Amino acid sequence: MPDTIKYLLDESRIPKFWYNLIADLPSPPPPVLHPGTKQPVGPDDLAPLFPMSLIQQEVTTEREVEIPGPVREVYKQWRPTPLFRARRLEQALDTPARIYYKYEGVSPAGSHKPNTAVAQAFYNREAGIRKITTETGAGQWGSALAFAGALFGIQIDVYMVRVSYQQKPYRRALMESYGARCVPSPSNETASGRAILAQRADHPGSLGIAISEAVELAAQRDDTKYALGSVLNHVLLHQTVLGQECVGQMEMADDYPDIVIGCTGGGSNFAGIAFPYLGAQLRGGKAVRIIAVEPSACPSLTRGRYAYDFGDTAHLTPLTKMHTLGSTFTPPGFHAGGLRYHGMAPLVSHVKELGLIEARAYQQTACFAAGVQFARTEGILPAPEANHAVRAAIDEALRCREDGVSRAILFNLCGHGHFDMQAYIDYFSGKLADLEYDEAELAMALAGLPSLG
Amino acid sequence: MPDTIKYLLDESRIPKFWYNLIADLPSPPPPVLHPGTKQPVGPDDLAPLFPMSLIQQEVTTEREVEIPGPVREVYKQWRPTPLFRARRLEQALDTPARIYYKYEGVSPAGSHKPNTAVAQAFYNREAGIRKITTETGAGQWGSALAFAGALFGIQIDVYMVRVSYQQKPYRRALMESYGARCVPSPSNETASGRAILAQRADHPGSLGIAISEAVELAAQRDDTKYALGSVLNHVLLHQTVLGQECVGQMEMADDYPDIVIGCTGGGSNFAGIAFPYLGAQLRGGKAVRIIAVEPSACPSLTRGRYAYDFGDTAHLTPLTKMHTLGSTFTPPGFHAGGLRYHGMAPLVSHVKELGLIEARAYQQTACFAAGVQFARTEGILPAPEANHAVRAAIDEALRCREDGVSRAILFNLCGHGHFDMQAYIDYFSGKLADLEYDEAELAMALAGLPSLG
């Protein structure tokens, strides 16, 4: 059996700054527009939802944003996270590739999400906020924010997509263990929730609806703000802590990635590992192939339109230009709940349009097969979302074997699968099918994109 | 908010030897007896069940046993594990105590169990064994051995207590993800299982029955051995890797524990943290209070008899002298499944008889209250077993406040609770009651202890 190769940085090497890709881009991303005026929004437009410190991070063009001391202190609980060389997987694949993975599942919530949850809780606390509303799908984000809220003494109200609320009671219980309140969405607590329920009392909910509910409530109270776990610039910014650690760890390995891979739902874990490498390339460093991997059943980057769209179903958010399937698009019920969002982070969409990254989509059974092979060789069971990155890494490693070339492949193992065992049960029992989205529904959702005219 | 204080050793500091407490004890533990002859067993008696290398570790009196290189290599995946100062918990308790905890939940299986699972899989592999049978209750041990079996290419057959098999499908799915076969016990695959099912077709099973099944099968085939996740000397030996790391980490903290705490089911995680400190004390080092914490509903150390007893229900194992509730005792169905065993490790029992350690028992609701307080301050949700140690640590810290004394309290947080969320759901919904064992059943079980006359 090959030796274990783990690259672990000293905690003094937790980055002191988040890295802002915008500073190195050849062109800035298109502005965020006010849905009424269709004019670029200003900080005041966003002030009902976010503390000003986060709004400033949303629009800053500075290359580096200092990480506050108290945030780094909380990061120290599990950061720097380990980077592994997947030697046992390489052996099983009989590949000349050098496969590396960053493992974010060691955080208390089991994923990369606390990287931004802790930061957002800190800034809200600094602004005197007492309550944060948010949405969650599979529950990774909700439990991360619940964890951060407990540490900073902020009440967290999580609007959880109803079908997930019913199917994933254990994720809900984790949030409640941290002291958060978890509400099935659509709910009777908001006008947007009541409007949906009036049409269909047993509506299963969606991330778009849950966002509407959380946004609506935050906008109503001065002591309450809203938090989003992906998509926005400042969320992607916070995740760069993990990619910057990778840079240091790959230096320890005396290697440099040829290929960097992340799965993409809203885009934050992908941006976290990819943007520091993309930035280095833009500043004249080595060219790297960067691959965003998404589910075939919710293929915003590979099949969506690059257009202005709302982030939510009730159209309470500003308009952002992104790869979108349309805010009314409802993806089929595949298991990687964290990847079931109609849009993509505007910044990820922008670099895709600039030709700086590749995107590909996989069906879920191929991803679970990859995840099981990974578990049996590397010993860690990945979350269904992370299985998409594992699949792509294995495919690239197999290509190395075909080509007779050794390439360095780095991917983000963004979370463990301990809360996703039902998906594995379904996979082993043959109940897990590949799912296709409805082409007619996609066409209708795209036809309903907001007009800027 | 207080700063995070984490003590992390370099991977070169993973111990190179396991520590054997027997070398430092004033008297050796009583011998293991053959159930037929009532004479001490020899290595050959155990050879059908274990490879000779592990049998040698079971009986050795050497102070140090070298950890094989390949085992240390696998340990490197998650070891050394972190030691934390629980500053946020201390603040919440307003205590002058210095609380430290060792966190073993960062292992791929989420607990301390891989420390011995990896070692046992290695030695079996060296002996040419192709299959290992074992039992599991809540599933921590079964999933750890499944993980180790996947790495070393050994088929693992896990006999899982039927009620847990039905109530904990996610633990079972984790084992199956690692490629193990998981069978509800009692099963039709063994004579001991069939005998139980003939009496009661819907028998819920017990650890004692599952051990009988696994032992029976291993004894029948040359290429199959048996593995136990606690109780035996060699299992406790392997766990000392974690306590030895604590010694180094407490040195980093420039502190030394006044009190060391572990929860006790079979005794292995407790021994892992306690024995290195106990040994140091026996060799003339500082005296330390060492507290074993068990569930009130299965109180082998605090209410059991110190006597020779079988380890299993069908009486296929040798006789060991230990604190026991009787091999027919069935504890009530509390949630810390890892602590539901009728006996205690002979070595833990022996040091208890020597007056070298204390023992106390807690009801489960008090333990869950402690676990929730811990999660909301320290950010990690403990396994129900670990909540017993958390409860004792909090109580000792509160005593420090009463006494106006600062003491250093070290406890083992042996696993995370991500597979135990139903227990937390029951706790929050008020369904989780304190449970008493049946005094009449205990009396009967004790009356049935084997006679040595």
Side-chain angles (χ1 to χ4, degrees):
Chain A
M1 189 161 57
D3 286 355
T4 300
I5 304 185
K6 176 174 71 173
Y7 300 99
L8 204 54
L9 299 168
D10 182 82
E11 70 183 21
S12 68
R13 301 282 302 275
I14 295 172
K16 296 187 172 59
F17 298 87
W18 292 300
Y19 166 66
N20 182 13
L21 178 67
I22 292 172
D24 289 315
L25 286 178
S27 66
V32 175
L33 302 184
H34 190 286
T37 65
K38 311 285 163 71
Q39 295 301 306
V41 299
D44 290 349
D45 293 311
L46 299 172
L49 297 187
F50 304 104
M52 200 48 72
S53 45
L54 287 174
I55 294 171
Q56 283 162 357
Q57 292 184 1
E58 188 65 21
V59 299
T60 184
T61 56
E62 295 292 315
R63 181 174 286 116
E64 293 186 324
V65 174
E66 189 169 6
I67 304 177
V71 173
R72 289 185 81 242
E73 282 301 322
V74 178
Y75 280 173
K76 274 162 67 177
Q77 186 170 7
W78 71 96
R79 305 211 69 87
T81 59
L83 179 86
F84 291 99
R85 173 90 181 263
R87 292 287 300 282
R88 297 191 294 254
L89 177 61
E90 290 170 17
Q91 190 179 55
L93 297 173
D94 190 23
T95 175
R98 308 177 314 277
I99 307 175
Y100 299 87
Y101 61 97
K102 179 72 165 169
Y103 185 41
E104 290 288 304
V106 294
S107 82
S111 79
H112 64 294
K113 293 287 188 190
N115 295 332
T116 184
V118 168
Q120 293 191 52
F122 167 78
Y123 288 114
N124 275 284
R125 172 67 183 238
E126 289 288 289
I129 298 306
R130 302 172 63 97
K131 185 194 282 193
I132 299 176
T133 60
T134 196
E135 72 292 327
T136 202
Q140 271 194 353
W141 165 243
S143 45
L145 191 63
F147 156 74
L151 300 194
F152 287 96
I154 298 177
Q155 173 63 36
I156 307 294
D157 281 7
V158 182
Y159 291 80
M160 186 171 187
V161 176
R162 183 180 296 272
V163 60
S164 296
Y165 182 92
Q166 289 162 343
Q167 289 176 351
K168 293 184 174 263
Y170 293 175
R171 268 287 179 195
R172 168 161 55 96
L174 180 60
M175 296 181 232
E176 291 172 351
S177 295
Y178 285 132
R181 194 169 75 94
C182 197
V183 182
S185 166
S187 80
N188 276 312
E189 298 187 1
T190 66
S192 32
R194 287 189 294 270
I196 300 275
L197 290 173
Q199 290 178 342
R200 181 178 165 190
D202 66 342
H203 196 290
S206 73
L207 265 181
I209 294 169
I211 293 173
S212 295
E213 293 206 275
V215 164
E216 179 185 327
L217 286 164
Q220 287 168 359
R221 291 182 59 105
D222 282 347
D223 67 351
T224 301
K225 297 288 181 195
Y226 167 73
L228 189 65
S230 189
V231 178
L232 299 178
N233 293 349
H234 68 270
V235 180
L236 275 52
L237 178 79
H238 299 154
Q239 292 296 352
T240 60
V241 66
L242 78 91
Q244 292 181 78
E245 286 179 5
C246 287
V247 172
Q249 288 164 310
M250 290 297 292
E251 281 172 11
M252 286 175 76
D254 199 18
D255 206 345
Y256 199 89
D258 298 298
I259 302 170
V260 174
I261 296 169
C263 64
T264 45
S268 75
N269 101 76
F270 167 78
I273 197 161
F275 283 7
Y277 283 102
L278 181 53
Q281 176 179 331
L282 290 166
R283 295 191 302 276
K286 185 186 155 189
V288 180
R289 278 182 64 205
I290 297 176
I291 305 175
V293 189
E294 63 184 8
S296 295
C298 192
S300 55
L301 268 179
T302 53
R303 302 292 305 275
R305 188 173 301 167
Y306 186 55
Y308 273 99
D309 196 7
F310 290 98
D312 73 322
T313 303
H315 297 179
L316 302 178
T317 69
L319 293 169
T320 51
K321 194 158 187 187
M322 58 182 176
H323 290 87
T324 179
L325 302 164
S327 67
T328 63
F329 177 80
T330 303
F334 58 89
H335 269 293
L339 308 183
R340 296 182 73 240
Y341 185 60
H342 68 274
M344 180 52 60
L347 203 44
V348 172
S349 296
H350 182 57
V351 297
K352 172 71 166 56
E353 285 300 301
L354 292 173
L356 297 172
I357 65 169
E358 303 170 28
R360 75 174 64 158
Y362 283 114
Q363 284 286 4
Q364 63 180 349
T365 56
C367 295
F368 275 89
V372 169
Q373 182 170 29
F374 187 83
R376 292 181 185 180
T377 50
E378 293 298 310
I380 299 170
L381 190 75
E385 294 81 4
N387 281 344
H388 289 73
V390 176
R391 175 77 268 162
I394 288 177
D395 283 359
E396 290 300 322
L398 293 175
R399 191 158 303 163
C400 287
R401 187 174 70 183
E402 285 167 26
D403 298 349
V405 176
S406 173
R407 300 186 189 100
I409 301 167
L410 168 66
F411 74 93
N412 191 19
L413 190 69
C414 59
H416 69 57
H418 292 179
F419 281 97
D420 305 283
M421 296 314 301
Q422 189 59 49
Y424 282 92
I425 291 174
D426 291 350
Y427 172 69
F428 286 119
S429 68
K431 282 190 203 151
L432 194 123
D434 288 340
L435 298 172
E436 304 290 343
Y437 59 85
D438 184 326
E439 290 279 1
E441 188 189 341
L442 175 59
M444 199 165 70
L446 290 175
L449 284 173
S451 158
L452 296 189
Chain B
M1 188 160 58
D3 286 353
T4 299
I5 304 185
K6 176 174 71 171
Y7 301 99
L8 204 54
L9 299 168
D10 183 82
E11 71 182 20
S12 68
R13 300 283 302 276
I14 296 172
K16 295 187 172 58
F17 298 87
W18 292 300
Y19 166 67
N20 181 15
L21 178 67
I22 293 172
D24 289 314
L25 286 179
S27 66
V32 175
L33 302 184
H34 189 286
T37 65
K38 309 287 163 68
Q39 296 301 307
V41 298
D44 289 347
D45 294 311
L46 299 172
L49 296 187
F50 305 105
M52 199 49 70
S53 46
L54 288 173
I55 295 171
Q56 284 163 356
Q57 291 183 3
E58 188 65 20
V59 299
T60 183
T61 56
E62 295 291 316
R63 179 175 287 117
E64 293 187 325
V65 175
E66 189 169 5
I67 304 177
V71 173
R72 291 185 79 241
E73 282 302 320
V74 178
Y75 280 174
K76 274 162 68 176
Q77 187 171 6
W78 71 96
R79 307 210 68 86
T81 60
L83 179 86
F84 292 99
R85 173 90 180 262
R87 292 286 299 283
R88 298 191 294 253
L89 176 62
E90 290 172 16
Q91 189 179 54
L93 297 173
D94 190 23
T95 174
R98 309 178 311 278
I99 307 176
Y100 299 88
Y101 61 97
K102 179 71 164 170
Y103 184 43
E104 290 287 305
V106 293
S107 82
S111 79
H112 65 293
K113 293 288 188 189
N115 295 332
T116 185
V118 169
Q120 294 191 53
F122 167 78
Y123 288 114
N124 275 283
R125 172 68 184 238
E126 288 288 290
I129 298 306
R130 303 173 62 98
K131 186 193 281 192
I132 299 175
T133 60
T134 196
E135 72 292 325
T136 202
Q140 271 194 352
W141 165 242
S143 44
L145 192 62
F147 155 74
L151 300 194
F152 287 96
I154 299 178
Q155 173 63 36
I156 307 294
D157 281 8
V158 182
Y159 291 80
M160 185 170 187
V161 175
R162 183 180 295 273
V163 61
S164 296
Y165 182 92
Q166 289 163 343
Q167 289 176 352
K168 293 183 175 261
Y170 292 174
R171 268 288 180 194
R172 169 162 54 97
L174 180 60
M175 295 181 234
E176 290 172 351
S177 296
Y178 285 132
R181 195 169 75 94
C182 198
V183 182
S185 166
S187 79
N188 275 312
E189 299 187 0
T190 66
S192 32
R194 287 189 293 271
I196 301 272
L197 290 173
Q199 291 178 341
R200 181 179 166 191
D202 66 340
H203 196 292
S206 73
L207 267 181
I209 294 169
I211 293 173
S212 295
E213 294 205 274
V215 164
E216 180 184 325
L217 287 164
Q220 287 168 359
R221 292 182 58 106
D222 282 348
D223 67 350
T224 301
K225 298 288 181 193
Y226 167 73
L228 189 65
S230 190
V231 177
L232 299 178
N233 293 349
H234 68 270
V235 181
L236 276 53
L237 178 80
H238 299 155
Q239 292 296 350
T240 60
V241 66
L242 79 91
Q244 292 180 79
E245 287 178 6
C246 287
V247 171
Q249 289 164 310
M250 290 298 291
E251 281 173 9
M252 286 174 75
D254 199 19
D255 206 345
Y256 199 90
D258 298 297
I259 302 170
V260 174
I261 295 169
C263 65
T264 46
S268 75
N269 100 75
F270 167 78
I273 197 162
F275 283 6
Y277 282 103
L278 181 52
Q281 176 179 330
L282 291 166
R283 294 191 302 274
K286 186 185 154 186
V288 180
R289 278 182 64 206
I290 296 176
I291 306 174
V293 189
E294 63 184 8
S296 295
C298 191
S300 55
L301 268 179
T302 54
R303 301 292 305 277
R305 187 173 300 167
Y306 186 56
Y308 273 99
D309 196 7
F310 290 98
D312 73 321
T313 303
H315 296 178
L316 302 179
T317 69
L319 293 169
T320 52
K321 195 159 186 184
M322 59 182 177
H323 290 89
T324 178
L325 302 163
S327 66
T328 63
F329 177 80
T330 303
F334 58 88
H335 270 292
L339 309 182
R340 296 182 73 239
Y341 185 61
H342 69 275
M344 180 52 60
L347 203 44
V348 172
S349 294
H350 181 58
V351 297
K352 173 71 166 53
E353 284 300 300
L354 291 173
L356 296 172
I357 65 169
E358 304 171 29
R360 75 174 62 157
Y362 284 113
Q363 284 287 4
Q364 65 179 349
T365 55
C367 295
F368 275 90
V372 169
Q373 182 171 29
F374 187 83
R376 292 182 184 178
T377 50
E378 293 298 313
I380 299 170
L381 190 75
E385 293 82 4
N387 282 342
H388 290 73
V390 176
R391 175 77 270 163
I394 289 177
D395 283 359
E396 290 299 322
L398 293 174
R399 190 159 302 161
C400 287
R401 186 173 72 184
E402 284 168 26
D403 298 348
V405 177
S406 173
R407 300 186 188 101
I409 301 167
L410 168 65
F411 74 93
N412 192 18
L413 189 69
C414 58
H416 68 58
H418 292 181
F419 281 97
D420 305 283
M421 296 314 301
Q422 188 60 48
Y424 282 91
I425 291 174
D426 291 350
Y427 172 69
F428 286 120
S429 67
K431 282 189 204 151
L432 193 124
D434 288 340
L435 299 172
E436 306 290 343
Y437 59 85
D438 185 327
E439 290 279 2
E441 188 191 342
L442 174 59
M444 200 165 70
L446 291 175
L449 285 174
S451 158
L452 297 190

